Amino acid sequence: MSRFRVHLRPADVVDVFVYVVVLNLAAEYLPQVITETFTLSLLTAVLLKLILEVVVALKDRVKGRLKAATSLTGRIASGILLWALLVGSKFAALEAVSVAFQGQVQLGGFFAVTGLILALLISRAGVRRLLRDLD
């Protein structure tokens, strides 16, 4: 029998905690961001963590293709793919949250979720740097 194992690193747990804080601050100060309960904000943070990890991994692969491209056509195609991934990931996040929480969590529109994701990534990087410096 095959078992599905999840490798959870301490940094992943810290990321989720940071995402919960940022998401709840956004819900408090941005009227278009709504999360009805703390539990839903925690589950949303986990979902966003999963989505962002997939998007970052795909972005890194596309950036590798862009750097490795030797022709102008390859560079343009990789650039368009990177742009589509970055834009499309925002819509994917909005749709995943909508489907998963059936209206109990709303991240606003495209620009609100873009700002939220940037805040999540910047906050995550800041906390990781802070923790790294403490080691």
Side-chain angles (χ1 to χ4, degrees), residues 29 74 101 115:
Y29 292 108
F101 303 112

Side-chain angles (χ1 to χ4, degrees), residues 5-16 46 49-50 53:
R5 297 188 77 192
V6 175
H7 180 68
L8 192 62
R9 302 169 299 155
D12 296 326
V13 176
V14 170
D15 288 350
V16 170
V46 170
K49 169 70 175 163
L50 294 172
E53 288 299 320

Side-chain angles (χ1 to χ4, degrees), residues 98-116:
S98 175
V99 168
F101 303 112
Q102 302 173 355
Q104 293 178 313
V105 175
Q106 296 175 16
L107 300 180
F110 177 80
F111 294 109
V113 80
T114 299
L116 179 62

Side-chain angles (χ1 to χ4, degrees), residues 53-93:
E53 288 299 320
V54 169
V55 169
V56 168
L58 289 172
K59 179 190 67 135
D60 290 343
R61 289 185 70 183
V62 172
K63 282 173 54 179
R65 289 183 61 162
L66 181 62
K67 289 178 183 177
T70 57
S71 69
L72 180 60
T73 305
R75 287 188 200 125
I76 291 172
S78 295
I80 290 171
L81 184 58
L82 182 61
W83 176 83
L85 174 66
L86 294 176
V87 171
S89 66
K90 308 314 180 280
F91 291 110

